[in-house]
């Protein structure tokens, strides 16, 4: 065996790992915040020709369910387990220390992508990931719960968080932040960019490993607010919603019956008293609210169009029929988080000011859908998009929050064409379905760790049998204490909180009133039988209690604003000191991973080098974007500070003289007025310890600058905080040595000494 030519030196050839023969490619598409009654595929007004195309050669599932909220639904989809069992009882921003709500999937519940990867699949995720714990979203991770590497995906291109600006997105490739290829003026929009990356990956995968199947999770984030879409798509819907949301519900309801999506004897549920009738709305506001829905409909069609490009790519490669496709039209019901009249900027909903008044909306009607807005539609439209059911997103008790139309397409193995399936299904059923059709057994161990069994039931039994008895017979629901249980055709439900009134639920969950519905005869949950059948209600409530105990739903937590405070919620805070230091040109620091400067005094110091020649320009540090934030920068060589209040008011402080060549410290100080949250304060600007400008702002942001914009050093990566510099092309042209943010009382000099800098560095070791 001394030489390779020795007969005893031969070894068996390396055999690449592959799944069982016949295992299909898998594409799971999940849209965002799309109610059951939104798409034309399920009777709604928003054109979805791609979904209809797939449905005509596949199946429509009209009793497919989600969890009523995005992070929980996605965690359940990707694990095959109920959302509380994988720590995702709420969105990541509201995580607590309780096991069912800590946002940390245990290693006993390995994700589907990991199992498929270990069995020879290529795996990729494109788009939204809202399952990363906020305290792990910083540039140093840990990355155990990111799509790559911790989530089992070999490739990830998309964004981390609940939503993203479609014109100026915050993006990652793997765990590395990247910039989009252009600006809105240059033709950039996130939706086609995501489709481009999906297509590029698929072609590369089939070119380099043609015998290896892929699992792609395509989750574009549309149509979550902000509703951003090119103007020409909006114009297609002009005038389509002039008669309002009540008339639209009636039209959709009739169309759903016509398509056979709901029974002929189904009842249209009543509009809740909390939602105003269209006829009662202010006539002056109606043009704005019509426009809100036109923008939303265009956004959904636009998303479906670019999803169709991914489908076209599969067809071009000759693998469409051999690919199992799930097209899940929404991760929950339509979003009722835009207030009763809608908004041009979601952050305005929790920040008191003139921007909450109808006159502001009317004045800014032309901004809707554009880069100038971060818009969301009125609650009435969300309710209409959930036709024919009660309620909306967040309300896990009723089907308006949990029932999402779903299309399954796999012509190579499913003989049926254009048929409807009515068996009860849930998002946790997708993972076991994929494993079954791939011929891969559910693993007992993954990476040496014993696994909790998946909670879902494979849907494959229904693919070619419309009359098959449903196998998913019982399913609990819970979201923000809105609760429900489905069991063998019956549902018992109770609504604790209304989505657009987060502070409204002040009573104990024990005081909530339960309702009872026989959905075998009452498709839409229109007739409450609780008073008539108290024993049946008690039986179902007992089943809910058992399921809740098994899956870590307890303790129920009805708090809302408190859970956004990490100290109260009991989750880690990445920055615990009163100082944060940034070296060089760090960027894309999530707001949850940056020091919190809101509702307090804060001081920002930058040490910079000014070169000889032309005046230095550009951003030293910024946080937030066009919809709200702050920035310290140089314009024409002069120091400037901007405080952007929700894009509605810009306050500037600046120095008169350009900085001379050499090293300088530029410092802005914000002295908070106090007396509550969201108050104003005095801003002073210093150069090398000498005051060069000052001013005062009347109010400040109380809760968050943005859901998607970040803190950036040396440039402003997303939409611009200040109107005085452009998006993207705003890098600082001098030398940026470091930036430091301090919070608290100003009891120090206006310069940071080298000795102080060293001491701080040693403390952080």
């Amino acid at each position: 065996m001394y030489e390779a030519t020795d007969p005893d030196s031969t070894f068996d050839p390396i055999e690449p790992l592959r799944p069982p023969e016949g295992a299909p490619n898998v594409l799971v598409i999940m849209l965002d915040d799309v109610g059951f009654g939104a798409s034309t595929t399920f009777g709604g007004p928003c054109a979805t020709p791609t979904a209809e195309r797939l449905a005509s050669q596949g199946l429509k599932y009209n009793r497919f369910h989600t969890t009523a909220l995005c992070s929980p639904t996605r965690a359940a989809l990707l694990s095959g387990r109920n959302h509380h069992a994988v720590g995702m009882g709420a969105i990541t921003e509201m995580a607590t220390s309780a096991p069912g709500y800590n946002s940390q999937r245990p290693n006993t519940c390995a994700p589907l992508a990991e199992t498929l990867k270990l069995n020879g699949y290529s795996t990729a995720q494109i788009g939204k990931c809202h399952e990363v714990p906020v305290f792990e979203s910083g540039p140093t991770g840990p990355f155990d719960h990111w799509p790559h590497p911790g989530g089992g995906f070999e490739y990830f291109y998309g964004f981390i968080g609940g939503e993203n600006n479609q014109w100026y997105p915050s993006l990652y490739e793997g765990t590395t932040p990247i910039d989009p290829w252009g600006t809105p003026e240059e033709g950039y929009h996130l939706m086609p960019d995501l489709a481009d990356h999906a297509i590029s990956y698929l072609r590369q995968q089939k070119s380099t490993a043609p015998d290896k199947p892929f699992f792609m999770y395509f989750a574009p984030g549309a149509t979550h607010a902000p509703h951003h879409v090119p103007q020409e798509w909006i114009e297609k819907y002009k005038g389509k919603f002039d008669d309002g949301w009540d008339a639209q519900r009636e039209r959709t309801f009739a169309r759903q019956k016509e398509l056979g999506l709901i029974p002929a004897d189904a009842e249209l549920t009543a509009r809740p008293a909390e939602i105003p009738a269209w006829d009662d709305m202010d006539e002056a506001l109606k043009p704005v609210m019509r426009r809100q829905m036109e923008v939303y409909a265009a956004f959904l069609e636009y998303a479906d169009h670019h999803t169709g490009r991914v489908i076209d790519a599969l067809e071009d490669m000759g693998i469409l029929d051999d690919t199992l496709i799930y097209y899940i039209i929404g991760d929950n019901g339509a979003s009722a988080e835009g207030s009763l009249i809608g908004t041009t900027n979601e952050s305005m909903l929790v920040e008191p000011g003139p921007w909450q008044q109808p006159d502001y909306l009317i004045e800014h009607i032309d901004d809707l859908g554009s880069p100038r807005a971060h818009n969301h539609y009125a609650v009435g439209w969300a309710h209409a998009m959930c036709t024919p059911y009660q309620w909306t997103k967040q309300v896990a008790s009723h089907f308006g929050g949990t029932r999402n139309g779903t299309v399954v397409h796999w012509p190579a193995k499913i003989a049926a064409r254009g048929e409807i399936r009515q068996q009860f299904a849930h998002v946790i059923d997708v993972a076991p379905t994929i494993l079954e059709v791939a011929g891969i057994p559910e693993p007992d161990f993954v990476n040496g760790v014993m696994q909790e069994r998946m909670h879902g039931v494979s849907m494959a039994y229904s693919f070619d049998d419309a009359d098959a008895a449903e196998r998913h017979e019982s399913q609990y629901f819970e979201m923000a204490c809105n609760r429900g249980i489905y069991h063998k055709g019956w549902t018992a439900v109770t609504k604790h909180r209304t989505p657009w009134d987060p502070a409204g639920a002040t009573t104990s969950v024990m005081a909530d009133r339960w309702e009872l519905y026989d959905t075998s005869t009452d498709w839409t949950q229109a007739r409450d039988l609780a008073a008539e059948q108290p024993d049946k209600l008690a039986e179902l409530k007992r089943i809910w209690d058992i399921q809740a105990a098994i899956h870590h739903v307890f303790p129920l937590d009805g708090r809302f604003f408190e859970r956004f405070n990490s100290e109260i919620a009991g989750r880690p805070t990445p920055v615990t000191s009163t100082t944060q230091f940034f070296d060089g040109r760090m960027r894309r620091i999530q707001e949850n991973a940056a020091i919190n400067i809101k509702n307090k005094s804060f001081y920002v110091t930058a040490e910079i080098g000014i070169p000889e020649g032309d005046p230095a320009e550009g951003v030293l540090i910024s946080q937030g974007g066009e919809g709200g934030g702050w920035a310290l920068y140089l314009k024409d060589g002069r120091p400037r500070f901007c405080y952007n209040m929700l894009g509605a008011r810009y306050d500037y402080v600046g120095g008169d003289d350009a900085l001379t060549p050499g090293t300088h410290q530029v410092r802005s100080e914000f002295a908070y007025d106090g007396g509550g949250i969201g108050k104003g304060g005095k801003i002073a600007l210093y150069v090398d310890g000498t005051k060069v400008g000052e001013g005062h702002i009347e109010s400040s942001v109380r809760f968050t600058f943005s859901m998607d914009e970040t803190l950036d050093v040396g440039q402003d990566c997303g939409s611009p905080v200040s109107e005085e510099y452009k998006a993207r092309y705003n890098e600082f042209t001098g030398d940026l040595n470091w930036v430091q943010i301090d919070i608290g009382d100003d009891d120090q000099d206006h310069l940071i000494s080298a000795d102080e800098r060293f001491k701080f560095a040693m403390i952080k070791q």
Side-chain angles (χ1 to χ4, degrees):
M1 296 183 66
Y2 194 75
E3 297 186 60
T5 55
D6 190 311
D8 293 331
S9 298
T10 60
F11 298 91
D12 292 334
I14 298 173
E15 295 289 343
L17 179 66
R18 294 293 184 267
E21 185 177 351
N25 302 304
V26 179
L27 172 63
V28 175
I29 304 160
M30 174 168 276
L31 299 187
D32 199 327
D33 284 5
V34 186
F36 183 86
S39 70
T40 50
T41 312
F42 286 87
C46 310
T48 49
T50 299
E52 291 187 46
R53 167 190 173 190
L54 295 175
S56 69
Q57 297 298 308
L59 305 170
K60 292 182 186 179
Y61 281 81
N62 62 357
R63 293 175 67 218
F64 185 93
H65 299 80
T66 54
T67 71
L69 203 60
C70 48
S71 298
T73 288
R74 292 160 193 273
L77 169 74
L78 295 174
S79 68
R81 281 92 170 183
N82 285 307
H83 52 303
H84 296 89
V86 290
M88 206 66 74
I91 57 173
T92 56
E93 292 83 358
M94 295 179 68
T96 71
S97 56
Y101 304 86
N102 63 19
S103 72
Q104 295 182 294
R105 174 185 46 77
N107 62 4
T108 55
C109 297
L112 171 67
E114 180 73 7
T115 298
L116 292 176
K117 181 182 71 175
L118 293 174
N119 282 276
Y121 269 79
S122 297
T123 59
Q125 177 173 344
I126 308 291
K128 172 176 174 174
C129 175
H130 197 189
E131 302 93 76
V132 176
V134 292
F135 46 87
E136 297 180 1
S137 63
T140 57
F143 302 110
D144 298 342
H145 298 100
W146 285 57
H148 172 80
F153 289 103
E154 296 165 310
Y155 178 74
F156 170 63
Y157 180 83
F159 60 95
I160 303 297
E163 64 184 50
N164 215 348
N165 191 313
Q166 299 287 310
W167 301 112
Y168 299 103
S170 172
L171 293 170
Y172 293 86
E173 192 160 27
T175 59
T176 302
I178 60 170
D179 291 325
W181 59 257
T183 64
E185 294 75 19
E186 295 167 331
Y188 182 85
H189 188 283
L190 178 59
M191 189 65 223
D193 184 24
L194 294 177
D196 288 345
H197 276 79
I199 293 167
S200 176
Y201 175 87
L202 292 171
R203 288 176 175 162
Q204 177 177 276
Q205 194 271 341
K206 283 305 174 190
S207 173
T208 57
D211 65 328
K212 189 176 183 181
F214 64 78
F215 168 53
M216 175 175 282
Y217 173 43
F218 184 67
T223 56
H224 196 293
H227 302 155
H228 285 157
V229 65
Q231 185 68 28
E232 60 269 24
W233 288 77
I234 299 172
E235 292 307 310
K236 295 171 65 174
Y237 285 91
K238 190 172 181 61
K240 296 294 178 83
F241 304 102
D242 283 1
D243 52 0
W245 47 68
D246 292 318
Q248 182 57 57
R249 284 193 87 217
E250 295 283 354
R251 274 197 302 275
T252 298
F253 185 60
R255 181 61 176 157
Q256 289 169 337
K257 286 190 174 183
E258 181 183 334
L259 293 172
L261 293 165
I262 60 176
D265 62 352
E267 296 181 35
L268 180 61
T269 57
R271 174 175 32 79
E274 293 92 332
I275 301 176
W278 175 260
D279 289 344
D280 292 339
M281 299 304 295
D282 183 349
E283 286 296 327
L285 259 179
K286 285 184 177 179
V288 182
M289 291 187 288
R290 291 176 181 125
R291 190 65 167 177
Q292 292 168 1
M293 187 58 213
E294 292 167 4
V295 172
Y296 176 83
F299 191 20
L300 180 50
E301 182 177 355
Y302 190 66
D304 180 83
H305 168 78
H306 286 286
T307 299
R309 293 176 49 228
V310 179
I311 303 303
D312 290 342
L314 295 177
E315 187 169 41
D316 291 344
M317 289 185 283
I319 58 174
L320 178 59
D321 287 358
D322 295 318
T323 301
L324 170 63
I325 299 175
Y326 266 87
Y327 193 154
I328 305 171
I329 308 177
D331 56 353
N332 40 240
S335 171
E337 297 156 337
S339 86
L340 295 177
I341 62 172
T343 182
T344 62
N345 182 345
E346 293 172 285
S347 295
M348 292 176 173
L349 299 176
V350 294
E351 302 287 350
W355 40 80
Q356 291 187 345
Q357 301 306 311
D359 288 348
Y360 187 89
L361 269 177
I362 295 169
E363 181 182 350
H364 290 84
I365 183 172
D366 292 335
D367 291 346
L368 301 181
S370 78
R372 299 184 301 276
H374 211 271
N375 49 292
H376 202 328
Y377 59 11
V379 166
W381 291 123
H383 183 236
M385 294 304 101
C386 295
T387 303
Y389 305 112
Q390 297 187 57
W391 297 108
T392 60
K393 173 185 177 181
Q394 292 193 31
V395 185
S397 53
H398 294 76
F399 290 154
T402 62
R403 185 163 284 181
N404 287 90
T406 295
V407 172
V408 175
H409 181 273
W410 191 22
K413 294 293 184 180
I414 300 177
R417 299 287 184 271
E419 295 184 7
I420 295 172
R421 293 291 180 267
Q422 299 190 15
Q423 290 89 348
F424 184 96
H426 190 272
V427 68
I428 59 175
D429 298 338
V430 175
T433 305
I434 292 170
L435 291 181
E436 179 179 336
V437 301
I440 298 172
E442 185 180 341
D444 293 320
F445 289 83
V446 174
N447 296 322
V449 178
M450 181 177 287
Q451 296 296 293
E452 179 176 343
R453 303 300 295 175
M454 289 185 176
H455 305 144
V457 177
S458 171
M459 298 166 60
Y461 74 93
S462 65
F463 283 174
D464 278 317
D465 189 352
D467 299 321
E470 65 184 38
R471 297 182 183 178
H472 195 140
E473 293 186 321
S474 187
Q475 177 63 46
Y476 84 90
F477 298 89
E478 191 278 337
M479 194 60 59
C481 298
N482 297 321
R483 289 155 284 162
I485 182 75
Y486 170 82
H487 185 67
K488 296 184 178 180
W490 289 84
T491 60
V493 304
T494 181
K495 187 183 80 70
H496 178 73
R497 190 175 63 80
T498 302
W500 56 94
D501 185 20
T506 57
T507 59
S508 166
V509 295
M510 302 304 293
D512 293 340
R513 192 184 75 82
W514 285 77
E515 304 161 23
L516 177 70
Y517 300 98
D518 179 0
T519 60
S520 63
T521 60
D522 176 16
W523 184 274
T524 61
Q525 296 176 314
R527 301 185 298 274
D528 180 11
L529 304 177
E532 300 172 32
Q533 299 199 43
D535 291 343
K536 188 67 177 179
L537 177 60
E539 174 192 341
L540 266 65
K541 287 172 63 178
R542 184 170 63 253
I543 295 173
W544 188 91
D545 285 341
I546 294 170
Q547 292 295 310
I550 291 172
H551 296 295
H552 308 297
V553 180
F554 297 128
L556 292 171
D557 194 340
R559 298 172 298 171
F560 187 78
F561 288 120
E562 299 94 330
R563 289 170 65 178
F564 284 96
N565 184 320
S566 58
E567 294 179 3
I568 296 174
R571 62 177 176 269
T573 301
V575 181
T576 57
S577 69
T578 59
T579 297
Q580 190 169 19
F581 174 74
F582 302 96
D583 190 6
R585 296 176 183 265
M586 298 173 66
R587 62 192 183 118
R588 291 301 189 193
I589 308 297
Q590 302 280 340
E591 191 163 334
N592 286 290
I595 195 167
N596 182 11
I597 58 100
K598 293 178 283 292
N599 306 306
K600 57 178 71 77
S601 297
F602 68 94
Y603 323 104
V604 183
T605 309
E607 184 177 278
I608 61 176
I610 303 298
E612 297 284 351
D614 294 336
E617 294 270 345
V619 176
L620 304 179
I621 183 171
S622 68
Q623 184 175 31
E626 199 165 38
W630 59 271
L632 180 65
Y633 55 98
L634 265 61
K635 180 176 175 60
D636 299 326
R638 298 173 175 84
R640 301 283 288 171
F641 181 88
C642 172
Y643 196 94
N644 176 347
M645 188 64 184
L646 307 173
R649 188 185 67 239
Y650 294 81
D651 290 295
Y652 295 95
V653 174
D656 294 330
D657 300 322
L659 300 187
T660 58
T663 300
H664 299 278
Q665 278 194 16
V666 178
R667 178 179 173 93
S668 63
E669 298 187 351
F670 177 70
Y672 190 60
D673 287 342
I677 62 174
K679 303 301 181 181
K682 179 181 178 181
I683 300 174
L685 201 59
Y686 296 84
V687 174
D688 299 328
T690 300
K691 184 185 293 186
V692 297
E694 63 182 347
H696 187 272
I697 64 172
E698 61 182 79
S699 62
S700 60
V701 171
R702 302 188 302 168
F703 294 115
T704 184
F705 293 117
S706 171
M707 286 285 287
D708 49 7
E709 300 273 8
T710 52
L711 184 148
D712 307 303
V713 179
Q715 66 181 117
D716 187 344
C717 289
S719 63
V721 170
S722 170
E723 297 175 304
E724 295 187 334
Y725 58 78
K726 295 181 179 181
R728 189 174 175 86
Y729 307 107
N730 53 51
E731 296 89 346
F732 180 55
T733 58
D735 296 323
L736 181 56
N737 297 330
W738 50 263
V739 180
Q740 179 173 311
I741 301 177
D742 298 281
I743 58 174
D745 296 331
D746 186 14
D747 56 0
Q748 54 193 299
D749 296 332
H750 300 301
L751 284 168
I752 297 176
S753 68
D755 183 57
E756 290 170 327
R757 171 83 273 120
F758 175 76
K759 289 178 180 178
F760 174 73
M762 294 303 294
I763 291 172
K764 299 296 286 184
Q765 295 295 317

